[in-house]
Amino acid sequence: DTGVSQDPRHKITKRGQNVTFRCDPISEHNRLYWYRQTLGQGPEFLTYFQNEAQLEKSRLLSDRFSAERPKGSFSTLEIQRTEQGDSAMYLCASSHTGAARGYTFGSGTRLTVV
Amino acid sequence: TQLLEQSPQFLSIQEGENLTVYCNSSSVFSSLQWYRQEPGEGPVLLVTVVTGGEVKKLKRLTFQFGDARKDSSLHITAAQPGDTGLYLCAGVSNSNSGYALNFGKGTSLLVTP
């Protein structure tokens, strides 16, 4: 297993455009998480899935954000009508049931909205 | 959301020096994790502490979980340039909101030769 993969690594988009990011977790992990990290901050929780069910969403996840994990494997995070404030590193992580055993993070997708 | 405060925010030291960084909260955590993050990469798990008063060692790194499970510290002995990075603590609480980790803002460490 090659760990958690995220694609693309970098994305530059114009304000108002839609973007979609993909995350492929470690295959035996049933939990998948999305976090957002801005400069000088720790990762901020966005949402998480157990298998294909989205169990929690943060207040940070506005109506413009949507995440899916259709078959309980890979996940996508879509941002519609991007704004400059959406510029950040979007991190995906996976874990076994229960975060207490630790997350494995991907390398992230760096989004820049111009 | 439990607030985790890390201190110091920035630390610049010379190779060979010792240092301690702190992670504090007013909330009790069922476990606490430390991660290290390098620029442009995701955080990498260093250790998980579960029991109040627990001490874990990872080579030159010593992690301690407070007796009340509200705070933790990371001590690095004889720091090396390879220790440079952002050190993040993250807490797990068994709330109804699930098991998502809450992260502190991190301590940015620079070790110069």
Side-chain angles (χ1 to χ4, degrees), chain B residues 22-107:
Chain B
Y22 300 92
C23 175
N24 295 291
S25 175
S26 58
S27 301
V28 175
F29 293 100
S30 58
S31 67
L32 194 141
Q33 298 168 14
W34 285 91
Y35 291 78
R36 191 178 113 214
Q37 184 177 23
E38 297 189 13
E41 297 296 327
V44 175
L45 179 68
L46 296 174
V47 77
T48 299
V49 286
V50 178
T51 306
E54 182 177 4
V55 177
K56 281 193 174 179
K57 292 192 174 183
L58 185 66
K59 297 183 180 178
R60 293 175 295 99
L61 278 60
T62 301
F63 304 85
Q64 185 162 8
F65 201 13
D67 291 341
R69 291 186 288 131
K70 292 183 179 181
D71 56 271
S72 181
S73 64
L74 159 59
H75 181 79
I76 302 179
T77 303
Q80 299 177 359
D83 296 326
T84 293
L86 180 67
Y87 288 83
L88 295 159
C89 67
V92 179
S93 65
N94 293 343
S95 68
N96 291 332
S97 64
Y99 291 86
L101 284 174
N102 295 303
F103 283 85
K105 291 186 178 181
T107 292

Side-chain angles (χ1 to χ4, degrees), chain A residues 91-109:
Chain A
L91 293 162
C92 175
S94 67
S95 76
H96 293 285
T97 299
R101 294 173 64 178
Y103 291 0
T104 301
F105 278 89
S107 296
T109 294

